Amino acid sequence: MGLGVFHSGIEVYGQEYGYGGHDRSDSGIFDMIPKDVYELGDHYRYRESIYIGSTDFTVSDVKRIMVELGKDFRGDRYHLMNKNCNHFSGSLTKILCGQDIPSWINRLAYVSSCIPFFQRCLPKEWLTPISLQRNLSRKKSDASTEQLNP
């Protein structure tokens, strides 16, 4: 079906901007060294760079845009299918250069919006950072309890 789970970020003026979830209501937008997937974690692998376009915005304009986008792309609003890093990348490239990211990058999210059953099949902890955090905390707590009660 051509589905994959891809992370995307946008490189502009020597910085890569991405979006990820956390349990706070502040911005989930982060910046990093371009293509430094090790900063993201061991399960990420760099695939390719795709030129989307150029921008007339200045570095300070881009920083202001990130602040404004951060109000919508909050950490606690991250959702694997409805508001993920690819949605952020598409929004940012539309603002910066009037172009969207290639559709195949976020095809899984698009397909899941067309086939709601598909999303219901995924573990809830995959979809939002809060569910993931609760799941990890519960597993950690369960492991601690097992060690205390052998």
Side-chain angles (χ1 to χ4, degrees):
M1 287 179 51
L3 297 177
V5 178
F6 300 107
H7 168 77
S8 66
I10 302 301
E11 183 178 346
V12 59
Y13 297 123
Q15 282 289 81
E16 182 174 334
Y17 295 94
Y19 171 61
H22 52 70
D23 61 356
R24 299 179 315 276
S25 62
D26 57 326
S27 176
I29 297 172
F30 59 90
D31 62 333
M32 59 185 266
I33 298 168
K35 304 175 192 127
D36 187 5
V37 294
Y38 299 108
E39 192 173 327
L40 296 173
D42 294 337
H43 52 281
Y44 287 88
R45 184 174 54 95
Y46 174 74
R47 179 175 173 169
E48 67 181 298
S49 292
I50 301 170
Y51 179 80
I52 304 294
S54 60
T55 188
D56 292 329
F57 288 105
T58 66
V59 173
S60 59
D61 291 336
V62 171
K63 290 181 182 186
R64 282 193 300 275
I65 290 167
M66 293 307 154
V67 169
E68 288 304 311
L69 280 175
K71 293 174 184 175
D72 185 38
F73 287 92
R74 294 178 2 188
D76 63 347
R77 290 186 178 165
Y78 180 91
H79 189 280
L80 183 63
M81 299 300 167
N82 303 326
K83 187 179 278 289
N84 63 37
C85 59
N86 303 314
H87 293 106
F88 164 75
S89 293
S91 292
L92 181 56
T93 57
K94 286 176 193 172
I95 292 168
L96 293 179
C97 59
Q99 300 291 323
D100 201 351
I101 61 174
S103 61
W104 61 265
I105 294 172
N106 211 17
R107 186 172 291 140
L108 179 64
Y110 173 75
V111 168
S112 80
S113 70
C114 296
I115 308 169
F117 170 77
F118 180 76
Q119 192 174 137
R120 289 192 300 268
C121 293
L122 296 174
K124 189 174 183 178
E125 61 267 17
W126 288 12
L127 299 176
T128 67
I130 295 170
S131 297
L132 178 59
Q133 188 64 38
R134 285 183 188 143
N135 186 48
L136 292 174
S137 296
R138 188 173 54 248
K139 287 181 181 179
K140 188 175 181 180
S141 175
D142 292 347
S144 295
T145 302
E146 288 174 14
Q147 289 176 357
L148 293 173
N149 303 317

